[in-house]
Amino acid sequence: MKNFILRRLLQTLPMLLFASLIIFMLFAKTPGDFIDGNITLTAARAAELKAIYGLDQPLFTRYLHWLGQLLRGDLGFSLQYQIPVSQLLNQYIWNSFLLAIIALVFYWGIGLAVGIISAMKPNSLFDHLVSIAVFAAMSFPTFFLCLLLIKWFAVDLHWLPVGGMTNTGSDDSGLAWAMQVAAHLALPVLALVMLQAGSLTRYFRASMLDVVKMDFIRTARAKGLAERTVILKHALRNALLPIITLLGFELPGLFSGAIITEKVFNWPGAGHIHIDSLAARDYPVLMGFTLFLAVLTILGNLLADVLYAWADPRIRVRS
């Protein structure tokens, strides 16, 4: 397994190189930038700034320069925020990680539990109600669902704060600060769970229905094993196999999917600054964030491969 992981890590190097080229060319060929979009600059000042930031260089020269910066851990310089992109992302990315990980744990737990129950009681009242709830949640646009949650829980009921990460002007620390963050996390986490848990529930229900019809499940029941043992020990592990493939896309999907959620709830995460940078045409920030998503996608696929080999003992990884 160690050799397999090492080999896959080495295979990611050309993938990252190719991803960096695609990302650079995508934004380099996009018309306009932060300097061109600033109507207050004179033509001479704009040309001077382009020379300072190297934007007047040939395209391939600019790419090699950016690639050399990446190898040194430098993602470039934000023209809007006037700080290095790596420093800017470091300020906000951990807030996005907090939101994404908590949402991931909740909607995977809910999706698996509800999917198992629905598969064990197909065409029951519970199964029909779950199907209706799932399709209703998946039909809501992200921004509309976020605004609806704000109206219900923040404006009408006054149970939770509207947005942000802590109360305005608060200087609390320790447990009081943690409670404030938890209260502000509730609505964006609820929005992401409602948007993501439905599709996972349907996937897992379908996978469980396929597994429980197989011969080895009938054999396990014929041996007199308890139904709980049959489901949790025999059916669950096999039903997880096709779902594990989705795990490789979940974390980068959450980061990219939470962009609108972070903006609506004013959550100080990477998605929030992504939209601001998009409006300002701050391409170095957009390139750094997109490259970060590419790295997450590659690592997520590696994690899915490792978990797949662990979950299915029939798979033999050749060193």
Side-chain angles (χ1 to χ4, degrees):
M1 183 63 74
K2 290 182 180 179
N3 291 334
F4 168 71
I5 296 175
L6 179 61
R7 186 170 66 250
R8 286 300 310 274
L9 285 174
L10 292 176
Q11 291 173 355
T12 62
L13 296 179
M15 296 172 62
L16 284 174
L17 181 63
F18 182 70
S20 69
L21 177 61
I22 295 298
I23 291 169
F24 178 83
M25 294 301 296
L26 176 66
F27 287 101
K29 289 296 185 179
T30 302
D33 54 31
F34 182 79
I35 296 175
D36 293 332
N38 194 334
I39 60 176
T40 62
L41 296 176
T42 63
R45 179 57 179 166
E48 181 183 356
L49 289 175
K50 285 181 178 289
I52 291 175
Y53 293 114
L55 298 177
D56 59 343
Q57 298 295 320
L59 195 61
F60 190 67
T61 302
R62 289 165 54 191
Y63 171 69
L64 291 179
H65 177 70
W66 185 63
L67 183 61
Q69 288 181 316
L70 292 181
L71 295 177
R72 297 191 301 269
D74 184 2
L75 296 177
F77 192 80
S78 171
L79 304 178
Q80 177 187 9
Y81 295 96
Q82 289 297 301
I83 59 174
V85 175
S86 56
Q87 179 181 340
L88 179 67
L89 289 180
N90 188 57
Q91 291 178 4
Y92 293 95
I93 205 69
W94 301 111
N95 296 334
S96 293
F97 259 119
L98 178 64
L99 175 61
I101 293 299
I102 293 177
L104 184 70
V105 170
F106 271 101
Y107 83 73
W108 265 77
I110 293 173
L112 294 182
V114 175
I116 291 175
I117 298 173
S118 293
M120 294 302 98
K121 300 179 179 180
N123 299 318
S124 64
L125 177 61
F126 177 82
D127 188 32
H128 290 307
L129 291 176
V130 167
S131 297
I132 293 172
V134 164
F135 287 118
M138 293 172 62
S139 300
F140 279 110
T142 302
F143 72 92
F144 180 77
L145 178 60
C146 293
L147 293 175
L148 198 61
L149 293 176
I150 290 175
K151 183 182 185 305
W152 286 346
F153 294 102
V155 178
D156 294 341
L157 298 175
H158 302 287
W159 286 357
L160 295 169
V162 173
M165 188 172 181
T166 57
N167 297 335
T168 304
S170 173
D171 58 354
D172 290 339
S173 60
L175 181 60
W177 176 84
M179 293 299 292
Q180 281 191 36
V181 173
H184 286 77
L185 266 172
L187 286 182
V189 166
L190 179 59
L192 290 175
V193 168
M194 292 179 66
L195 291 167
Q196 300 288 341
S199 59
L200 184 63
T201 298
R202 301 303 299 175
Y203 278 123
F204 198 72
R205 177 186 180 276
S207 181
M208 282 291 293
L209 285 175
D210 289 338
V211 170
V212 296
K213 297 175 183 177
M214 293 182 177
D215 292 339
F216 72 93
I217 296 296
R218 286 195 292 267
T219 302
R221 286 171 173 161
K223 289 180 178 180
L225 295 178
E227 185 67 13
R228 182 175 180 178
T229 303
V230 172
I231 297 303
L232 297 181
K233 186 176 181 180
H234 297 277
L236 179 59
R237 188 166 186 173
N238 288 275
L240 279 174
L241 293 178
I243 307 300
I244 286 176
T245 307
L246 298 174
L247 185 61
F249 302 98
E250 289 298 330
L251 200 55
L254 264 179
F255 271 93
S256 57
I259 291 176
I260 297 177
T261 304
E262 288 185 3
K263 187 64 177 178
V264 173
F265 289 104
N266 198 30
W267 181 260
H272 185 81
I273 63 169
H274 182 270
I275 291 184
D276 291 343
S277 299
L278 187 62
R281 301 181 184 178
D282 194 351
Y283 292 156
V285 176
L286 298 175
M287 292 163 63
F289 184 70
T290 307
L291 184 64
F292 169 73
L293 293 179
V295 172
L296 278 184
T297 302
I298 292 172
L299 293 180
N301 279 281
L302 174 61
L303 176 62
D305 288 343
V306 173
L307 290 178
Y308 200 95
W310 166 82
D312 192 346
R314 296 169 297 180
I315 296 177
R316 294 294 181 264
V317 180
R318 296 180 179 179
S319 301

